[in-house]
Amino acid sequence: MALPASLRVAVVQAGPSYLDLPTSLQRALHFVKTSAQQGAQLVVFPETWLSGYPIWLDISPGMNIWDDPTAKDLFARTHASAIEVPGPETQALAEAAHAHNITIVMGANERVATGPGNGSLYNVLLILDSSGELRVHHRKLMPTHTERLVHAPGDAGGLHAVDINGVRIGGMICWEHWMPLTRQVLHDSGEHLHLALWPHVKEQNHLASRHYALEGRCFVIAAGARMQAKELPEGIPLPDEIASDPDQWIMRGGSAIYGPDGELVAGPGGVDDELLVWDLPDLSATIRERMALDVTGHYQRRDVFGFTVDRQRNQ
């Protein structure tokens, strides 16, 4: 089956309503509809978009001190604004995907409804195809640095690409892009299009996204959100340089697309961009570029190297 000649994609850089799940879901549905109206076949939301990345752990002094009451309160609010998979929010997204004939990629905080682990949160990437079917439910394998105070380690149950309208699509979250074996698992899935979800796409995140495109010989959508200091929850201690300027951007979007030769195709998006709609060029470039480098085939020594993947869901 030939790859599509082009693919129109949308990236949402506008942030959610921070720690407010009902309002954030309505914002998400608005951007899904708007993306479809502009002809997009795929819409991508950044890391933990529902309902907000825990950036307060990085910018607020003292928030990662043991037994801090403000941090515990924010964790509880993050837990309350997380989604369940499946749940009413994934159902609403599925209905929107079907109604607008668009594939949705969503980053979210996930909670478990009952049973073991119901006090833990996971950083997840979801892919719902245009029929509304949940095709990928990936939990970030290793929370990064301060995220370990909020998120539990995930598993490889959703670490795979899926075929959507003839295009193999997969994704990873943030610093998973610096985990060599994790990259190899998705490369082996035969991606044509990779989704790189970040809080926002700063310089080192562009580096990782571009390298992934070059290594995997695939297109990479690096998705990042915007956030101003005034959107942070009230009551948390802030350094003077942030407290004195509530309009400053602490997350700056930066979304971009890289091609299978590692070159920039579109972007990066700036702080003025809420929604970016771009056309991917001929996806057959992913095959042409593998003539020189195919890390899943002729440029891989499986007689020398080998590893196994445990895909059991972490219970």
Side-chain angles (χ1 to χ4, degrees):
M1 181 176 179
L3 288 164
S6 64
L7 182 69
R8 178 162 289 188
V9 300
V11 180
V12 177
Q13 289 200 146
S17 182
Y18 201 71
L19 302 185
D20 179 346
L21 181 56
T23 305
S24 293
L25 178 61
Q26 291 307 309
R27 284 176 62 79
L29 298 177
H30 162 74
F31 283 114
V32 169
K33 180 179 179 180
T34 302
S35 299
Q37 289 173 337
Q38 295 189 38
Q41 299 153 274
L42 173 78
V43 57
V44 185
F45 292 80
E47 181 177 1
T48 61
W49 199 91
L50 290 174
S51 293
Y53 182 78
I55 195 166
W56 41 272
L57 279 165
D58 294 327
I59 66 174
S60 180
M63 291 295 286
N64 55 5
I65 293 176
W66 175 261
D67 214 28
D68 181 80
T70 304
K72 289 193 288 187
D73 177 65
L74 282 171
F75 174 79
R77 291 179 60 188
T78 303
H79 191 279
S81 66
I83 67 170
E84 296 170 8
V85 184
E89 291 77 28
T90 56
Q91 181 61 33
L93 292 172
E95 291 172 359
H98 179 65
H100 299 294
N101 193 32
I102 190 170
T103 295
I104 300 173
V105 181
M106 178 60 72
N109 296 299
E110 179 198 1
R111 67 174 180 234
V112 178
T114 59
N118 62 67
S120 296
L121 292 174
Y122 297 96
N123 184 341
V124 300
L125 181 157
L126 309 175
I127 301 179
L128 300 97
D129 68 20
S130 58
S131 73
E133 182 182 352
L134 178 62
R135 303 289 302 281
V136 171
H137 173 198
H138 171 53
R139 290 173 170 172
K140 185 177 180 181
L141 281 168
M142 193 65 227
T144 304
H145 198 45
T146 55
E147 290 174 12
R148 298 174 197 179
L149 297 175
V150 172
H151 295 133
D155 52 59
L159 193 63
H160 58 87
V162 291
D163 189 300
I164 297 179
N165 298 324
V167 180
R168 296 286 295 173
I169 300 176
M172 298 194 309
I173 306 166
C174 200
W175 275 38
E176 288 183 319
H177 292 86
W178 277 286
M179 299 173 71
L181 297 184
T182 305
R183 297 199 309 268
Q184 187 63 49
V185 172
L186 272 187
H187 294 331
D188 285 345
S189 282
E191 291 175 302
H192 303 118
L193 175 59
H194 177 80
L195 312 163
L197 272 54
W198 305 92
H200 63 141
V201 195
K202 54 188 179 181
E203 180 57 33
Q204 65 177 0
N205 302 344
H206 280 288
L207 174 66
S209 301
R210 184 180 184 186
H211 174 266
Y212 191 98
L214 184 65
E215 180 180 77
R217 292 323 213 203
C218 59
F219 287 93
V220 171
I221 300 176
R226 313 173 312 168
M227 184 179 187
Q228 290 177 285
K230 62 186 177 186
E231 298 176 70
L232 288 165
E234 294 182 1
I236 65 173
L238 294 173
D240 291 341
E241 63 270 20
I242 294 179
S244 62
D245 183 8
D247 290 326
Q248 69 179 283
W249 295 96
I250 55 175
M251 292 167 58
R252 304 185 62 85
S255 302
I257 297 177
Y258 290 95
D261 57 358
E263 294 302 309
L264 183 67
V265 172
V271 293
D272 294 329
D273 299 309
E274 278 199 333
L275 180 68
L276 301 163
V277 179
W278 291 317
D279 289 311
L280 289 182
D282 185 0
L283 272 79
S284 66
T286 59
I287 304 303
R288 292 196 298 272
E289 292 299 330
R290 291 175 196 180
M291 178 179 178
L293 174 66
D294 179 5
V295 297
T296 73
H298 64 74
Y299 223 85
Q300 170 64 272
R301 291 293 304 275
R302 295 191 185 276
D303 57 326
V304 177
F305 303 110
F307 70 101
T308 60
V309 182
D310 181 358
R311 296 192 178 277
Q312 182 176 348
R313 180 62 81 193
N314 182 359
Q315 299 297 332

